[in-house]
Amino acid sequence: MVALLCIIAVLTIATYFYLKQPQFGALPEGKRMEMIKKSPHYKDGKFRNFVEKPIISEGYSFTGEIWKALTKKYPHTEPQEALPSIKTNLKAIPADRNVIVWFGHSSFFLQLDGVKILVDPVFSGNASPLPGSVKAYKGTDIYTAADMPEIDYMLLSHDHYDHLDYETAKAMQPKVKHVICGLGAGAHYEKWGYTSQQILEKDWGDKTQVKPGFIIYAESTHHDGGRNFTSSQALWLSFYIQSSAMNIYYSGDGGYTGRFKEIAEKYPPVDWAVMECGQYNKAWQSVHELPEEVALATVELKAKNLLPVHHSKFTLAKHPWNEPLKQITALSKSKPYHLATPMIGELVDLDNNSQVFKQWWNDVK
């Protein structure tokens, strides 16, 4: 018994000091915490979704899912060979072009009406605080912070490791004018050297006036957040970007709810919807959409174009790595929107609703 207690004590102390490493960020405190407490979405010590649902779906159990993850083998969860990609020179893109360049998973560069925006960048090759535990697929990690131009706004949907990467955030700090993130997430950036002038923390419904005719709205999603054993201390967001050129919606992570119809009613028409489509499982359907829900949500948004993301870089679920692309392609054939499925790094011309993209995943083993 004494030996067991000693082992537990050593593990507890080791965990405590490991969690003090900078990649885990910081919890909000002081004035930031006082600001958070004023939010109607912060209750009983944590942020809440509009409608609270259990993360694990009915008929499934948390322990059962853990056991399956540890003992069951799932086929083709990673590609056997490098994914194809294109190295676009982002710094050479003319300022008057409206484009998106996707970097795999949910990271992408958006240039819209002359404004340069970087979303959920992860360039370290890892989506976990444990080195080497969730590694990027071969061929997917071709961009670095050094490849990025000066960024007007860096957007963070939520503070999970596959969206907020410590190494990338540190490297981008000198290049970023402003970060727009959810309430509480500013504590991470502040710990990592960002100034108070750079950090813009937002609640659902808040907006940032970029310039005349250009507004970035922080909107809701149905998800959670956290970087250690304390969850939901930083708010999770989606973004509606309204400009004189066109309107973009980025879903962030989150399960299907009626919010897409509400977005369509609240704002001008969505020209491009950048939607989470990958790393899903019926067991946690409440916080990650299935492909059929992505297609439905895009229709409910009345979006003209769909760019699916959150796939093809990290394995965070047990479906085949290329299943999200196969399913959303099949589901989109009869839908009123145009589907864009670029390779990593391929330039997406936002002014061209008929741009054709190769089904590149069919050529990868």
Side-chain angles (χ1 to χ4, degrees), residues 5-183:
L5 291 173
C6 289
I7 292 171
I8 292 172
V10 169
L11 289 175
T12 301
I13 293 169
T15 301
Y16 172 81
F17 282 105
Y18 185 72
L19 292 176
K20 291 294 183 181
Q21 294 185 90
Q23 66 262 35
F24 292 98
L27 293 173
E29 57 185 13
K31 291 182 179 180
R32 178 171 283 111
M33 193 70 236
E34 292 305 311
M35 178 175 64
I36 287 171
K37 289 179 179 178
K38 295 177 183 178
S39 170
H41 313 300
Y42 188 83
K43 301 174 185 177
D44 300 324
K46 63 192 302 184
F47 284 106
R48 308 279 176 166
N49 289 302
F50 276 122
V51 178
E52 296 199 49
K53 304 176 185 178
I55 291 179
I56 298 297
S57 305
E58 186 177 352
Y60 297 86
S61 70
F62 181 77
T63 54
E65 291 306 304
I66 293 294
W67 178 251
K68 282 193 287 186
L70 293 173
T71 61
K72 187 175 179 180
K73 290 187 177 180
Y74 295 85
H76 209 34
T77 57
E78 295 187 9
Q80 298 175 30
E81 55 191 24
L83 299 193
S85 61
I86 298 171
K87 191 68 178 285
T88 297
N89 184 352
L90 306 178
K91 299 174 184 178
I93 299 173
D96 61 351
R97 292 199 66 183
N98 299 315
V99 303
I100 282 178
V101 177
W102 172 63
F103 306 125
H105 204 61
S106 290
S107 305
F108 62 94
F109 169 76
L110 166 65
Q111 183 171 278
L112 182 62
D113 198 16
V115 179
K116 292 178 172 59
I117 297 171
L118 183 61
V119 181
D120 287 354
V122 178
F123 300 139
S124 69
N126 201 48
S128 164
L130 302 176
S133 58
V134 185
K135 297 176 67 175
Y137 303 154
K138 291 179 181 178
T140 66
D141 209 34
I142 63 170
Y143 285 89
T144 69
D147 297 315
M148 299 300 113
E150 298 293 314
I151 298 297
D152 296 303
Y153 290 88
M154 189 162 70
L155 309 186
L156 175 70
S157 62
H158 63 296
D159 68 349
H160 285 160
Y161 299 100
D162 59 319
H163 294 257
L164 176 57
D165 179 56
Y166 163 67
E167 291 181 23
T168 304
K170 283 286 290 182
M172 286 302 305
Q173 189 272 332
K175 291 188 171 186
V176 172
K177 293 180 183 177
H178 299 288
V179 175
I180 302 179
C181 58
L183 292 174

Side-chain angles (χ1 to χ4, degrees), residues 22 25-26 166 169-174 176 179 186-199:
Y166 163 67
K170 283 286 290 182
M172 286 302 305
Q173 189 272 332
V176 172
V179 175
H188 303 310
Y189 290 103
E190 188 175 86
K191 181 172 182 176
W192 298 338
Y194 284 67
T195 67
S196 58
Q197 290 76 25
Q198 285 180 289
I199 303 168

Side-chain angles (χ1 to χ4, degrees), residues 292-305:
E292 54 266 34
E293 293 174 317
V294 176
L296 173 61
T298 306
V299 171
E300 291 180 345
L301 281 167
K302 300 179 182 178
K304 298 174 185 176
N305 300 276

Side-chain angles (χ1 to χ4, degrees), residues 191-210:
K191 181 172 182 176
W192 298 338
Y194 284 67
T195 67
S196 58
Q197 290 76 25
Q198 285 180 289
I199 303 168
L200 305 175
E201 292 180 72
K202 301 296 180 179
D203 203 345
W204 294 337
D206 289 347
K207 66 180 181 180
T208 301
Q209 185 78 48
V210 174

